[in-house]
Amino acid sequence: MASNLPTYDDVSSDTRAAMQTVVDLLPEASVVTPRPEQEPYPCDDPVGVDNKRGAFYTGNWDITVPAGFDIESFVLALPDTLGEGWDVVPSQIPVGYATVDILEEATSIVVTVSDASEGSTASLNIMGMSPCATTSS
């Protein structure tokens, strides 16, 4: 029986591209540090976005931004900056820092952008989560 799910390679590539769309809006001097790749999460895992067979991709990048960059304004304006084709996903968890979950409609990828500053280091965290995909050929 053929799966109608995209391949894991496709969703991981699409997720990194969606995350890069956000990075491209940051100042040129920003430094992106990808966290190590994780094993695919099964879609029926409790943290999954679908209750299906297959697996979903998560990407996680830390970005150091130049001193003086207004992270809170950037995060709060991001949905409007990205514009059509992106929707805000309401968060169920209240936090004390600037964060936004946005859905890229064309791919169903959710990108979370959060202020991750510590001390005098201004930084963002970008996490992307794909829809379910097939891991077999």
Side-chain angles (χ1 to χ4, degrees):
M1 180 170 147
S3 172
N4 62 351
L5 296 175
T7 68
Y8 187 80
D9 288 342
D10 286 344
V11 298
S12 59
S13 176
D14 289 346
T15 303
R16 287 188 294 273
M19 295 166 68
Q20 186 64 48
T21 298
V22 174
V23 170
D24 291 345
L25 299 171
L26 294 169
E28 203 170 295
S30 300
V31 177
V32 178
T33 306
R35 291 186 185 182
E37 291 287 323
Q38 300 175 0
E39 290 294 316
Y41 283 105
C43 289
D44 60 0
D45 188 286
V47 300
V49 293
D50 293 316
N51 190 12
K52 299 178 184 175
R53 296 174 61 166
F56 65 94
Y57 173 81
T58 55
N60 205 333
W61 298 348
D62 296 307
I63 298 109
T64 304
V65 295
F69 180 71
D70 188 344
I71 291 173
E72 183 173 3
S73 292
F74 174 80
V75 170
L76 296 178
L78 190 56
D80 289 335
T81 303
L82 290 169
E84 194 171 323
W86 292 83
D87 286 324
V88 173
V89 178
S91 177
Q92 303 299 316
I93 304 169
V95 294
Y97 51 87
T99 187
V100 66
D101 297 322
I102 48 180
L103 170 74
E104 185 181 42
E105 294 171 0
T107 60
S108 298
I109 291 167
V110 175
V111 178
T112 301
V113 182
S114 302
D115 184 345
S117 299
E118 291 186 21
S120 63
T121 304
S123 63
L124 287 164
N125 177 265
I126 298 178
M127 184 176 78
M129 187 180 302
S130 79
C132 286
T134 182
T135 55
S136 59
S137 43

